[in-house]
Amino acid sequence: MRQTLDPPLDPDAYAFVQRVRVRFAETDAMGVAHHGSYLPWLEEARVGYLRTAGHPYTEVRAGGHDIAVVECHVRYRASAVFEDELAVHCLVAPPTRATFEIAYLVRRGDEAVATAVTVHAFVESATGRPLRPPDWVRDISTPLP
């Protein structure tokens, strides 16, 4: 397991927030957002953050690289339901030699609905060979205590 982050519950600790709304198709027979629905919300926030930070994923890919998800950990803290407006906060932690982590806080109003961490590796698109994360990953990262 590569995860080392413990996602903060304080939204002020995060550098970016993406708003999402729970769609009917994302709910299960109980009317609750299906656990698998959270992963696209995390991805939407992650891609939005990279775009806002000046590193849109389309440019990463055009440069011959991909950012692979090598681990994903989600802690569900409360149920989200159809039409809930959620704020998905995210921050990039300083990279290691081979990977970097992104922490997430999913909130409905003042309530934490979920916390999550994704672990990523930079790879060459053509070969899948792992690469060191580029310097800009460190530049957009948030130092953690």
Side-chain angles (χ1 to χ4, degrees), residues 63-83:
H65 304 109
D66 280 302
I67 303 172
V69 177
V70 296
E71 287 182 20
C72 181
H73 306 271
V74 181
R75 179 176 176 196
Y76 303 97
R77 297 172 169 272
S79 297
V81 297
F82 175 58
E83 287 289 340

Side-chain angles (χ1 to χ4, degrees), residues 27-138:
T27 61
D28 61 18
M30 297 181 296
V32 173
H34 186 271
H35 65 273
S37 299
Y38 288 74
L39 299 181
W41 301 337
L42 303 181
E43 180 179 56
E44 185 176 344
R46 178 170 64 247
V47 170
Y49 182 40
L50 291 176
R51 184 184 314 108
T52 300
H55 300 281
Y57 196 65
T58 51
E59 288 183 10
V60 172
R61 297 212 65 230
H65 304 109
D66 280 302
I67 303 172
V69 177
V70 296
E71 287 182 20
C72 181
H73 306 271
V74 181
R75 179 176 176 196
Y76 303 97
R77 297 172 169 272
S79 297
V81 297
F82 175 58
E83 287 289 340
D84 274 355
E85 185 176 322
L86 305 174
V88 183
H89 302 265
C90 63
L91 66 82
V92 174
T96 65
R97 289 178 38 132
T99 62
F100 67 98
E101 296 175 82
I102 301 178
Y104 306 85
L105 171 64
V106 181
R107 290 170 44 104
R108 176 184 47 232
D110 292 334
E111 180 182 24
V113 173
T115 53
V117 174
T118 52
V119 181
H120 302 269
F122 259 82
V123 298
E124 284 185 354
S125 299
T127 65
R129 186 175 69 85
L131 304 167
R132 279 185 186 236
D135 290 341
W136 64 259
V137 174
R138 183 169 305 286

